[in-house]
Amino acid sequence: MTTATALATAATDDAPVLEGHDLIKTYEVSRGIFGKPGIVRAVSGISLSLAPRKTLAVVGESGSGKSTLGRMLALIEPPTDGRLAIAGEDVTGVYGHRLKTLRRSVQMVFQNPYGSLNPRRTIRATLEEPLVVNTDLAADERHARALDMLARVGLRPEHAERYPHMFSGGQRQRIAIARALMLNPRIIVLDEPVSALDVSVRAQVLNLLADLQQEFGLAFVFVSHDLSVVRHIADDVMVMYLGGVVEQAPKEAIFADPRHPYTRALLSATPVADPGRPRDRIVLTGELPSPFAPPPGCSFNPRCPMAIDRCRAEKPLLHGEDGRLTACHLAD
Ligand code: ATP
Ligand code: SF4
C-alpha cells in the first residue's frame, strides 16, 4: 500500500496508526553577527508506517536527527514539508482545537524523567493534570484513574502523595510512562527512555513497556543510540545518518544481515549476544559532517571504507523490497 493510499484508509485493528510521507524539518540558525543565517536540514525526506502493538526503533549517532523526527511524530513541532497521518487522518496543516485533540493520541516520554516531572507537584497531581486540562472528569474519577495507572506501572497507592525526588530513577521513569498513558494515547514516542537508568533497572522498564504496549494496543517509536536496547524491544529498525534514512528493515534482518556500511559499523561496536560468533570491528573514523554543508553524493562517503567514485557524485536512493530498504550504491 502506498503512503498516499494509506492516508485515505480508515483505521482498522492492524491498519497503520502512524504514517509519515517524505517528512522534512529544517531550522534557520544564526551564524554570528556577520554570518548569514544557515539552514540546518535536521530531517530530510523520511517516510514510515507503524501499526498498533509494533515498535519502530530509530537509531543513529548524536546529531543524526532522531529526536527531531520524534518531536515531529509527537506533534510537538510541525514538519517543514511532507505529510503526517494519525489513524488515517492527515494532520499536516491542522491547527487549533482539532490539533489539541489529535495531540492526545500521541504522547512523548523523554530520557530524563526528573527533568520532565515537576518537583513541586505530588505524583497524583502530575498524573491528574492531563485529565484536568483535557477532560471533564470529576475529581474522584481523576483520582481513581491516577491510582489505577500507578498500579499498572508497578507503583503503590501510597506513592501518589509523594514528590519526584523521593523516587529512584527507574520509579520516576515509571511515573513518566504512567503520565503519558493518562489520556489513552495510541502512539508513544520514547526518546532514549532507558539511557539514563542503571543497567540493572533497564530491563525492568523495557519489560514494563512491552507489557503496556500489548495491554493498551500502543504503537511505539523508540529513539535510541543503543543497539543492544533496540535488539530487545524493536520490531522494525530505521537507521538515520545526517537527517536521512540509510537503512530500514525488520529487526531480525538488520541484526543478522546489515547491508549499509554505516549500520555494519554501528553493529560492530555493539556487544555480541553470542560470543561464539565474534564480529569484525569496523571503526568509524571522522565525525558526522556539518549539517550546514552535507557532502555531495552519499552523505556517508567521507567516512565509508567502501566508497567508490560514484559515491562522491551521486546520492544513493533508499530502495529495496519486502520492507528491506537501503541507501547505498553497493547494496545490491
Ligand atoms: P542527540 O542524540 O544528540 O539528541 P539526534 O540524533 O537526536 O541527536 P537532533 O537532536 O534531532 O539529533 O539534531 C539533528 C540536527 O538538527 C543537529 O545538527 C542539531 O544541531 C539540529 N537541530 C535540532 N534541533 C534544532 C533547533 N531547534 N534549532 C536548530 N538546529 C536544531
Ligand atoms: Fe559507502 Fe558508497 Fe554505499 Fe555511501 S553509497 S554507504 S559511500 S558504498
Side-chain angles (χ1 to χ4, degrees):
M1 180 164 47
T2 65
T3 307
T5 320
L7 287 172
T9 309
T12 56
D13 262 6
D14 51 3
V17 69
L18 179 68
E19 292 160 278
H21 182 69
D22 216 3
L23 294 169
I24 292 174
K25 184 74 192 178
T26 57
Y27 296 105
E28 192 175 292
V29 181
S30 105
R31 294 204 276 184
I33 318 173
F34 302 111
K36 277 205 322 200
I39 300 289
V40 174
R41 236 175 134 80
V43 169
S44 180
I46 289 188
S47 298
L48 56 91
S49 175
L50 182 60
R53 295 191 169 80
K54 295 290 178 193
T55 299
L56 172 69
V58 182
V59 303
E61 283 167 287
S62 179
S64 57
K66 308 180 298 293
S67 298
T68 304
L69 176 66
R71 290 195 302 275
M72 271 196 290
L73 298 178
L75 306 184
I76 292 171
E77 291 184 59
T80 311
D81 207 346
R83 278 182 301 156
L84 186 60
I86 291 177
E89 179 175 349
D90 193 337
V91 300
T92 329
V94 173
Y95 297 97
H97 182 70
R98 186 68 200 137
L99 179 60
K100 194 176 162 201
T101 308
L102 283 165
R103 278 200 174 124
R104 293 166 55 167
S105 40
V106 199
Q107 297 291 316
M108 193 148 182
V109 171
F110 296 93
Q111 175 175 358
N112 177 1
Y114 202 49
S116 62
L117 297 174
N118 186 332
R120 286 184 290 280
R121 290 207 160 165
T122 63
I123 300 313
R124 173 152 78 99
T126 293
L127 295 185
E128 286 188 28
E129 189 193 13
L131 301 178
V132 173
V133 175
N134 292 283
T135 73
D136 302 326
L137 289 179
D140 57 339
E141 291 173 299
R142 293 198 303 264
H143 189 175
R145 286 269 282 269
L147 292 186
D148 177 51
M149 200 54 82
L150 266 188
R152 284 171 193 248
V153 299
L155 295 173
R156 295 194 301 277
E158 62 267 29
H159 288 137
E161 302 307 329
R162 297 184 189 167
Y163 290 86
H165 73 269
M166 301 162 91
F167 293 91
S168 68
Q171 287 175 319
R172 283 199 285 263
Q173 198 56 301
R174 286 171 187 265
I175 295 162
I177 292 165
R179 184 181 54 182
L181 290 172
M182 289 304 287
L183 292 171
N184 295 326
R186 308 182 71 159
I187 304 151
I188 302 201
V189 178
L190 302 133
D191 193 347
E192 304 273 9
V194 296
S195 306
L197 304 181
D198 286 348
V199 174
S200 56
V201 292
R202 274 185 199 175
Q204 293 168 16
V205 173
L206 290 173
N207 288 338
L208 171 70
L209 284 168
D211 291 346
L212 293 170
Q213 178 172 47
Q214 294 311 314
E215 185 180 350
F216 292 101
L218 298 163
F220 286 164
V221 177
F222 194 99
V223 172
S224 179
H225 70 279
D226 185 344
L227 282 164
S228 52
V229 168
V230 165
R231 187 195 280 272
H232 200 83
I233 196 151
D235 292 294
D236 291 308
V237 179
M238 173 187 277
V239 183
M240 286 186 71
Y241 188 79
L242 209 64
V245 176
V246 294
E247 185 159 6
Q248 190 169 348
K251 172 182 71 178
E252 293 74 19
I254 287 273
F255 281 91
D257 175 28
R259 292 188 179 165
H260 195 282
Y262 179 62
T263 314
R264 284 192 216 130
L266 287 183
L267 276 169
S268 80
T270 308
V272 204
D274 175 3
R277 289 180 51 211
R279 236 190 244 123
D280 288 340
R281 180 86 200 260
I282 306 167
V283 180
L284 269 184
T285 52
E287 309 234 312
L288 201 64
S290 162
F292 289 108
C298 173
S299 56
F300 187 54
N301 87 70
R303 302 169 78 191
C304 181
M306 298 168 71
I308 52 176
D309 285 349
R310 184 181 174 198
C311 305
R312 290 177 269 276
E314 189 186 327
K315 192 176 177 61
L317 298 176
L318 190 65
H319 68 286
E321 52 197 25
D322 302 328
R324 282 226 67 170
L325 304 174
T326 315
C328 173
H329 293 310
L330 304 186
D332 301 327

